[in-house]
């Protein structure tokens, strides 16, 4: 008997790690329908763009990519084949029908809460009739329907624990694209984590737009982390992204007590100016943020700090920007992301007076980046000479080389036997660049 060849599925992922996770789950729900992943859009039977709406550039990229894919669809049709094009993610949620208008080659639009309906939507699109839009909110259903059957490669994995946001920062689209805060029940997360550990995962990153607002069990994220830490094989736990407002005492304490909780924290502050923070509706000041960092460092002195920054928010003066630079100098980051303010339709900040000229944004961004890069290099330099536990997760470019992760989320290049893949070994750090470290295996750890 001959086997039906697999249908080819191409998924392109934009935006945050929630989307990376969602893309994997889309592949999972489509697998039983005979779809297998391919690395090339050309010739694929189903192309899914999992999109991001956070900044204007992100959205425009999607439309230009769709232009390319439309041509591939035409080529496939000329050869007698059929390519189905689906737009998923936050642009799908935010723009819905508008996408079909701007790019008629698109067959279906599916919002982040409807991925479990993908098989049905695709079947419908193939009948070329009926509902083409699925963008309503019901996160519980999504997670229940996507539960089970998860296949992972590798020793690190994402695990979504929370979705959505009720904070309504005035610049941000997320509350509109992902809906209100929803936490998955802890029992379901623990089941999924056990499945991951059974497949060899050693490090799990808990995901949520406001992950530390997690309330799917008593005691919140700190309690969830403590329960996850009991799962044999799960040696490392991380979480992202956190909001300063939800960084509670219990979570800070957990950083001091749970060895599995890695000493790296992405805690966006956005600005160092209280005027701007207020206009952003962040609900914290520069001072409360700095006090928080002090408390976290008291609990876990070696914690590496990361964050997000926006320059050129409406009304940002030179003095406000200097306040941001000052805050950055005080925190000392191991890494961070910085963005030029992007005006998002429908958000309160887009209608605020005092929009900042692009040249000013460029200049501020360049200065901020220079400072952040300097801090990243300094942080990496400070690791030279230390011995760190490194989790090996992929092969390096050079023969005999493995690349692993330090507790501080740095990439570390090491000459090491292939058998150490997926293991944690002690490595002495020899040198540091801005994006990665190089080190030598400590002899005893090879024998262990
Ligand atoms: N929920 C997370 C992540 C939000 S999106 C959080 O609150 O931290 C990731 C980052 O994108 C934000 O932290 C912010 O720095 C940036 N961002 C969001 N909207 C933006 C906009 N309109 N312009 C520029 N940057 C933006
Ligand atoms: Fe956006 Fe603010 Fe919510 Fe983060 S906390 S997702 S920046 S609204
Ligand atoms: Fe982008 Fe949506 Fe994530 S807008 S950052 S993909 S939540």
């Amino acid at each position: 008997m001959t086997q039906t060849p697999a249908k080819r599925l191409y998924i392109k992922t934009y935006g945050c790690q929630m989307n990376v996770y969602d893309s994997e789950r889309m592949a999972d729900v489509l697998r039983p329908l005979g779809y297998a992943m391919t690395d090339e859009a050309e010739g694929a039977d189903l192309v899914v763009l999992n999109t991001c709406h956070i900044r204007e550039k992100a959205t425009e990229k999607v439309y230009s990519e769709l232009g390319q894919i439309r041509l591939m669809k035409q080529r496939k049709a000329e050869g007698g084949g059929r390519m189905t094009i689906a737009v998923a993610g936050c642009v799908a949620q935010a723009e819905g029908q508008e996408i079909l208008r701007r790019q008629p080659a698109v067959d279906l639009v599916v919002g982040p809460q409807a991925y479990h309906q993908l098989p049905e939507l695709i079947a419908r699109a193939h009948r070329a009739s009926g509902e083409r839009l699925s963008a309503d909110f019901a996160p519980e259903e999504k997670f229940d329907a996507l539960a089970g059957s998860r296949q992972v490669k590798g020793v690190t994995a994402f695990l979504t624990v929370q979705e959505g946001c009720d904070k309504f920062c005035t610049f941000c689209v997320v509350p509109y694209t992902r809906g209100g805060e929803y936490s998955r029940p802890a029992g379901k997360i623990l089941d999924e984590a056990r499945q991951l550990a059974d497949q060899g995962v050693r490090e799990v990153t808990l995901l949520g737009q406001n992950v530390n607002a997690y309330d799917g069990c008593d005691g919140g994220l700190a309690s969830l982390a403590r329960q996850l830490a009991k799962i044999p094989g799960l040696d490392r736990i991380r979480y992202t992204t956190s909001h300063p407002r939800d960084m509670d005492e219990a979570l800070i304490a957990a950083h001091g007590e749970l060895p599995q909780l890695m000493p790296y924290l992405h805690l966006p502050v956005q600005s160092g100016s209280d005027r701007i923070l207020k206009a952003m509706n962040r609900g914290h000041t520069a001072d409360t943020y700095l006090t928080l960092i002090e408390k976290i460092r008291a609990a876990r002195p070696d914690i590496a700090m990361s964050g997000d920054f926006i320059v050129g928010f409406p009304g940002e003066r030179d003095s406000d920007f200097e306040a941001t630079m000052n805050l950055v100098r005080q925190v000392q980051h191991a890494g961070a992301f910085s963005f030029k303010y992007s005006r998002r339709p429908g958000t309160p900040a887009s209608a605020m007076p005092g929009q900042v000229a692009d040249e000013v944004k460029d200049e501020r961004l360049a200065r901020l980046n220079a400072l952040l890069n300097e801090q990243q290099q300094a942080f990496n330099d400070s690791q030279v000479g230390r011995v760190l536990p490194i989790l090996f997760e992929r092969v390096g470019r050079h023969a005999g080389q493995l690349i692993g992760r330090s507790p501080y989320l740095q990439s570390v290049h090491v000459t090491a036997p292939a058998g150490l893949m997926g293991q944690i070994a002690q490595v002495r750090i020899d040198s540091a660049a801005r994006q990665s470290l190089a080190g030598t295996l400590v002899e005893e750890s090879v024998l262990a």
Side-chain angles (χ1 to χ4, degrees):
M1 232 174 51
T2 53
Q3 263 200 322
T4 329
K7 285 178 271 186
R8 281 168 298 169
L9 165 66
Y10 174 79
I11 305 183
K12 180 151 182 172
T13 308
Y14 302 84
C16 63
Q17 281 123 346
M18 307 280 305
N19 270 10
V20 175
Y21 176 89
D22 281 347
S23 289
E24 286 171 14
R25 308 316 311 272
M26 281 191 255
D28 288 338
V29 287
L30 292 168
R31 199 171 297 115
L33 268 75
Y35 286 99
M37 287 290 281
T38 162
D39 299 335
E40 269 215 66
E42 186 77 55
D45 297 288
L46 173 61
V47 172
V48 180
L49 297 190
N50 192 7
T51 62
C52 174
H53 197 59
I54 200 85
R55 284 168 291 274
E56 194 179 349
K57 246 193 223 152
T59 308
E60 281 316 308
K61 251 191 246 164
V62 172
Y63 285 104
S64 83
E65 183 81 16
L66 280 174
Q68 299 297 312
I69 290 168
R70 179 181 68 93
L71 299 176
M72 296 180 197
K73 180 174 179 158
Q74 271 172 9
R75 285 195 284 274
K76 189 145 197 222
E78 280 157 18
R82 183 196 162 102
M83 177 187 281
T84 303
I85 305 177
V87 178
C90 290
V91 177
Q93 183 62 45
E95 301 196 354
Q97 298 284 359
E98 172 69 10
I99 299 173
L100 300 171
R101 199 189 58 75
R102 273 186 72 176
Q103 185 45 271
V106 170
D107 296 282
L108 64 111
V109 174
V110 51
Q113 306 310 339
Y115 296 150
H116 56 293
Q117 296 168 5
L118 258 179
E120 190 188 335
L121 290 168
I122 285 162
R124 276 202 225 152
H126 277 223
R127 273 184 255 120
S129 64
E131 182 73 352
R132 290 205 291 176
L133 190 75
S134 180
D136 293 327
F137 288 120
E140 326 71 80
E141 273 175 46
K142 164 184 173 173
F143 286 118
D144 279 352
L146 293 178
S149 76
R150 182 163 178 202
Q151 280 187 14
V152 289
K153 287 183 276 187
V155 292
T156 59
F158 290 131
L159 174 50
T160 296
V161 304
Q162 182 274 344
E163 201 166 352
C165 179
D166 301 331
K167 304 283 192 295
F168 290 92
C169 298
T170 53
F171 52 81
C172 184
V173 294
V174 171
Y176 311 96
T177 60
R178 294 274 172 166
E181 283 172 8
Y182 167 78
S183 296
R184 287 176 77 190
K188 299 203 168 150
I189 296 165
L190 290 164
D191 284 346
E192 194 171 329
R194 278 185 213 103
Q195 275 184 35
L196 293 172
D198 287 345
Q199 293 179 60
V201 168
R202 308 282 303 267
E203 176 177 310
V204 71
T205 302
L206 310 178
L207 294 181
Q209 256 93 24
N210 273 282
V211 71
N212 57 346
Y214 177 79
D215 67 354
C217 62
D218 286 343
L221 191 64
S223 154
L224 180 67
R226 287 179 197 279
Q227 295 174 70
L228 285 164
K230 293 190 188 127
I231 297 177
L234 270 195
D235 298 295
R236 294 177 162 200
I237 301 167
R238 303 180 185 276
Y239 59 92
T240 200
T241 295
S242 298
H243 194 290
R245 264 151 78 181
D246 295 315
M247 204 67 215
D248 63 16
E249 301 286 339
L251 189 54
I252 296 173
H255 272 284
E257 292 159 15
L258 262 192
Q260 287 89 344
L261 207 48
M262 289 291 101
Y264 174 94
L265 182 60
H266 183 70
L267 192 64
V269 62
Q270 315 297 356
S271 170
S273 154
D274 289 344
R275 261 188 70 232
I276 297 298
L277 287 169
K278 189 148 188 275
M280 286 176 163
N281 190 33
R282 287 289 294 179
H284 59 79
T285 63
D287 251 6
T288 53
Y289 184 82
L290 290 169
T291 308
L292 191 57
I293 303 292
E294 258 171 46
K295 276 193 197 158
I296 296 164
R297 284 195 165 134
R300 182 77 207 225
D302 67 331
I303 200 151
M305 291 304 304
S306 164
D308 290 340
F309 295 90
I310 294 178
V311 300
F313 183 83
E316 188 186 70
R317 303 180 193 133
D318 284 337
S319 56
D320 297 308
F321 175 68
E322 293 309 328
T324 298
M325 293 290 277
N326 264 332
L327 179 137
V328 170
R329 285 185 201 104
Q330 289 178 69
V331 173
Q332 291 294 329
H333 299 78
F337 302 92
S338 43
F339 310 100
K340 286 197 280 182
Y341 169 69
S342 169
R343 225 168 155 169
R344 309 308 291 126
T347 59
S350 70
M352 285 180 188
Q355 298 289 328
V356 175
D358 209 41
E359 307 80 70
V360 177
K361 288 184 194 167
D362 281 331
E363 194 244 329
R364 288 179 187 166
L365 186 67
R367 279 188 58 205
L368 176 60
N369 278 341
L371 179 59
L372 289 168
N373 287 348
E374 214 176 274
Q375 294 191 348
Q376 188 174 25
Q377 183 69 58
F379 179 77
N380 287 353
D381 287 343
S382 73
Q383 305 302 316
V384 174
R386 287 188 70 189
V387 173
L388 298 178
I390 303 301
L391 170 59
F392 289 109
E393 55 164 351
R394 58 201 160 99
V395 289
R397 226 180 294 150
H398 305 292
Q401 193 186 51
L402 295 182
I403 302 177
R405 279 184 190 187
S406 80
Y408 312 106
L409 208 55
Q410 298 144 305
S411 286
V412 186
H413 297 242
V414 185
T415 301
L420 277 184
M421 184 66 102
Q423 306 293 315
I424 298 172
Q426 299 297 323
V427 169
R428 175 167 294 104
I429 306 303
D430 300 324
S431 65
R434 191 165 67 76
Q435 304 279 14
S436 67
L437 307 175
T440 317
L441 221 44
V442 173
E443 223 43 66
E444 312 86 83
S445 66
V446 187
L447 306 171

